[in-house]
C-alpha cells in the first residue's frame, strides 16, 4: 500500500477477489478502504455493477431490489469493443442510468506467449479517451467519472507500479489535454495483493470473503 501511494498517488486501487483470496487479506484491504471487486460487481462500495452488454444492464436494472444500481461499462480495446460500448451508452442515455465509468484490460495486446509491456496501458488509456470518453460525451452528454484499469493479470509485482507510472500513465498526453474535468483513474489488482502473504486460508475456507462475494453476484 505504501508503494502504491508513492508511485501512483493519483490512482485508486481495487482488489479482485478470487480463489486465492484470504479472509485476512480481505479484512485488511477493507480497513485500508480498498474497493473489492468480483467478476460481476463492485462489492465495496455496493450496488455498483460491471456490465459487458445491454443484456447485462437489463438484468441489473430488473434484478436490483434496493437502491439505484450504478454501472461500470466494460470495454475492449478494439473497434468491436467501441461499438458494443456505444450500444450500452445509448441504453444508459435512453433509460437515464447512472454511469460510474469505463473498465478495460489489455488481454488483446498479447499473442499468448509474450506479455504486453506497461507501455500498452498508455496506448489503451489514450484509445479509451479518443474513441469513447470524448466522442460519447459529445454524442450523449454523458461524462465518464472514472476509468478503471483491470491490471490483475499483468501488474503482479511491486516494481510494476512504478513502471505503470513512468511508462504509461505519466505519459498519457490525452488526459493532460482533456478540456473538461479529468476522469479519476482506478486500478484493479489481484495477484499483487495475494502475494503479500497475509495468511488465513482461501475464500472457500470460511464465511468471510465467500459470503461477501456470493451476495454480490447478479440478482
Amino acid at each position: 500500500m505504501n508503494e502504491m501511494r508513492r508511485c501512483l498517488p493519483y490512482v485508486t486501487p481495487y482488489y479482485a477477489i478470487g480463489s486465492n483470496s484470504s479472509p485476512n487479506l480481505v479484512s485488511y484491504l477493507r480497513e485500508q478502504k480498498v474497493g473489492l471487486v468480483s467478476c460481476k460487481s463492485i462489492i465495496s462500495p455496493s450496488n455498483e455493477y460491471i456490465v459487458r452488454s445491454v443484456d447485462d444492464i437489463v438484468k441489473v436494472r430488473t434484478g436490483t431490489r434496493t437502491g439505484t444500481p450504478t454501472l461500470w461499462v466494460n470495454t475492449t480495446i478494439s473497434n468491436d469493443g467501441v461499438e458494443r460500448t456505444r450500444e450500452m451508452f445509448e441504453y444508459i442515455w435512453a433509460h437515464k442510468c447512472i454511469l460510474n465509468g469505463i473498465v478495460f484490460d489489455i488481454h488483446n495486446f498479447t499473442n499468448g506467449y509474450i506479455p504486453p509491456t506497461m507501455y500498452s496501458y498508455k496506448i489503451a488509456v489514450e484509445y479509451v479517451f479518443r474513441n469513447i470518453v470524448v466522442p460519447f460525451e459529445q454524442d450523449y452528454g454523458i461524462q465518464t467519472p472514472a476509468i478503471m484499469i483491470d491490471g490483475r493479470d499483468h501488474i503482479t509485482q511491486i516494481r510494476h507500479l512504478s513502471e505503470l507510472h513512468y511508462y504509461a500513465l505519466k505519459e498519457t498526453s490525452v488526459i493532460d489535454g482533456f478540456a473538461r474535468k479529468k476522469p479519476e483513474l482506478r486500478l484493479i489488482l489481484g495477484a499483487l495483493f495475494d502475494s503479500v502473504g497475509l495468511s488465513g486460508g482461501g475464500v472457500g475456507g470460511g464465511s468471510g470473503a465467500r459470503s461477501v462475494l456470493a451476495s454480490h453476484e447478479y440478482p
Side-chain angles (χ1 to χ4, degrees):
M1 289 303 298
N2 289 338
E3 193 70 5
M4 181 78 197
R5 296 185 186 104
R6 185 182 72 83
C7 297
L8 299 166
Y10 51 89
V11 175
T12 302
Y14 280 68
Y15 171 62
I17 287 183
S19 59
N20 293 324
S21 303
S22 73
N24 284 352
L25 175 59
V26 171
S27 177
Y28 170 78
L29 294 176
R30 282 188 183 277
E31 292 174 2
Q32 297 294 312
K33 302 189 184 306
V34 173
L36 305 177
V37 181
S38 78
C39 62
K40 296 179 180 178
S41 65
I42 309 297
I43 295 172
S44 176
S46 61
N47 226 26
E48 300 180 17
Y49 292 87
I50 298 172
V51 292
R52 294 168 173 81
S53 67
V54 170
D55 287 344
D56 282 354
I57 301 176
V58 172
K59 290 177 183 177
V60 167
R61 293 185 71 236
T62 57
T64 302
R65 296 176 180 84
T66 59
T68 302
T70 57
L71 306 175
W72 288 91
V73 171
N74 183 281
T75 191
T76 55
I77 311 303
S78 67
N79 291 335
D80 288 343
V82 171
E83 287 308 307
R84 282 194 298 272
T85 303
R86 180 177 290 279
E87 292 173 359
M88 287 186 275
F89 265 71
E90 288 178 349
Y91 186 95
I92 289 169
W93 174 80
H95 294 82
K96 296 180 172 57
C97 302
I98 300 174
L99 176 70
N100 266 359
I102 305 293
V103 185
F104 74 88
D105 61 36
I106 56 170
H107 70 273
N108 56 333
F109 280 60
T110 178
N111 62 9
Y113 298 97
I114 302 174
T117 65
M118 288 297 158
Y119 186 77
S120 300
Y121 286 105
K122 167 182 161 56
I123 298 171
V125 168
E126 295 192 344
Y127 186 93
V128 169
F129 261 82
R130 288 195 181 101
N131 295 281
I132 296 175
V133 174
V134 175
F136 288 10
E137 180 176 341
Q138 294 170 347
D139 293 347
Y140 305 106
I142 300 174
Q143 293 189 27
T144 300
I147 293 177
M148 183 179 286
I149 301 168
D150 186 347
R152 72 185 83 182
D153 293 330
H154 301 113
I155 301 173
T156 57
Q157 301 176 38
I158 288 180
R159 65 179 175 84
H160 290 164
L161 298 176
S162 60
E163 291 175 1
L164 181 65
H165 170 71
Y166 284 110
Y167 299 123
L169 303 182
K170 178 184 175 183
E171 303 297 333
T172 48
S173 57
V174 173
I175 293 179
D176 294 336
F178 195 52
R180 303 290 294 273
K181 180 181 178 182
K182 294 188 292 187
E184 298 177 4
L185 290 176
R186 307 191 182 187
L187 176 63
I188 301 176
L189 298 169
L192 180 59
F193 278 134
D194 292 331
S195 68
V196 300
L198 290 175
S199 61
V203 175
S207 61
R210 176 171 288 277
S211 62
V212 172
L213 179 60
S215 66
H216 286 81
E217 297 292 65
Y218 277 137

